[in-house]
Amino acid sequence: MQRLRTTVPGAASEASPCMACGACCSYSADWPRFTWEDDAALARLPQDLVTLSGMRCDGARCSALVGVVGVSTSCAVYADRPDVCRACVAGDDACQMARSKFGLSELVVAEA
C-alpha cells in the first residue's frame, strides 16, 4: 500500500492541517478526558458537551467537533477546549495513529 504524505504548514499564518482533519477528535471516547482543568475552566464549557470525566462523545466522536472528518472540521469550544485537546500536536505519533484509523495520509512537519 502506498502511503501519501501531506506537509504541515510551518508558518503560523497558514491554515492548520487540523481544520481538514479532526481524526484525533473522533478516534476514541477515552481521549477527550479532563486532566488539569480547574472549576473555572470547566464552567466555561457548555454543560451539554461535558460529562464528569471529559468531553461528551457520540460513539468515539467528541460532541464539540463540527464538520466531516478528513474534509473540514472545527471545534465548537476551541477557545475553551480542555488541556488534553490543547496538547494535541499535528504530526505527532497520536495524530498519525488517529489519521491512520480514518485512512488519511500521514502528516510530515515542514522544517521552518
Side-chain angles (χ1 to χ4, degrees):
M1 178 173 98
Q2 183 180 11
R3 186 165 235 191
L4 301 174
R5 292 179 176 260
T6 303
T7 302
V8 174
S13 63
E14 296 183 45
S16 168
C18 302
M19 305 267 316
C21 184
C24 63
C25 306
S26 298
Y27 181 77
S28 169
D30 293 330
W31 270 15
R33 295 291 166 229
F34 298 139
T35 51
W36 301 105
E37 291 80 9
D38 60 22
D39 290 340
L42 294 176
R44 288 192 298 270
L45 294 168
Q47 293 307 297
D48 62 326
L49 295 180
V50 299
T51 66
L52 291 176
S53 60
M55 296 299 293
R56 185 174 307 284
C57 292
D58 182 14
R61 181 185 172 112
C62 177
S63 295
L65 183 65
V66 178
V68 178
V69 172
V71 178
S72 177
T73 60
S74 64
C75 176
V77 296
Y78 187 80
D80 295 316
R81 68 196 183 283
D83 292 337
V84 67
C85 303
R86 291 175 189 276
C88 292
V89 176
D92 71 2
D93 289 343
C95 166
Q96 304 297 8
M97 182 173 54
R99 288 180 64 84
S100 177
K101 176 182 176 182
F102 290 93
L104 300 174
S105 61
E106 180 179 337
L107 291 178
V108 177
V109 178
E111 295 287 327

